Amino acid sequence: MDMPRLGLVVALLAVGMAYSVRAGKLTTAAATTGGGLGLLIYLGGGFGGLALLALFFGLGTVASGWRVAEKRRLGLAEENKGRRTDGQVVANAGVAALLGLWAWQLPAQAPLACLMLAGSFCAATADTLSSELGNVYGQRYYNILTFRPDTRGLNGVVSLEGTLLGLAGTAVLAGAYCLGAGWGPVFGWLLVAGTAGNMMDSVLGATLERRGVLGNNAVNFINTLTGALVAGGLMHWLG
């Protein structure tokens, strides 16, 4: 292990943690958790993995803060003034951290693990952007199961505009991954993976989350797991 490089990464993560707390983006517990998960992502995914984490966090932060006054007026803004908790951090980056640990411990399987890691972040990004921006730019809102009109902001409610914005976010993450790993079918695989995770999130929202069986963090974790599994499955079957 390159200790000077590891020291640099730890320092960068510490700076990011301090900034996130000071800027009100994360609670102290969330920042600490995020730093630990970020280290695991780096150990398995290198700087490319960290770049995906940073890109997801940056896009999610911008989307959450976009026209936030309007969201608050409509009762659609994030709780706790948008400050993410440790549970939310695990829900969105926990799968990626586990995949980073897998890639680190089993280097021969790192290509598969790193693609799945990217798939998890594509799904997380798609969900965040489709929700945060779809609630702003959506024109018509539908229940994901019945496709009948439903109330904006309810679990399991989607819009065409939000879905396309989520796909755009997935494309940004997929493009960033391909810059390091190389272009090819993998770009399309990640688009499918991110969209599949996003759709799974909506289906669970319309069913188990509405009934109180699952909480939002559990749904988000399954969203990222779905994105990872779909990306890995496509690589296994089509790669």
Side-chain angles (χ1 to χ4, degrees), residues 101-159:
L101 179 62
W102 177 21
W104 177 38
Q105 293 300 307
L106 298 172
Q109 299 178 23
L112 173 61
C114 287
L115 175 64
M116 293 175 69
L117 186 156
S120 74
F121 277 131
C122 283
T125 303
D127 171 49
T128 301
L129 268 60
S130 64
S131 175
E132 293 290 347
L133 299 180
N135 280 334
V136 173
Y137 294 109
Q139 298 298 310
R140 295 180 178 85
Y141 297 89
Y142 303 93
N143 185 292
I144 186 67
L145 297 179
T146 65
F147 291 101
R148 293 177 179 173
D150 208 336
T151 304
R152 171 171 56 175
L154 287 183
N155 296 321
V157 174
V158 300
S159 67

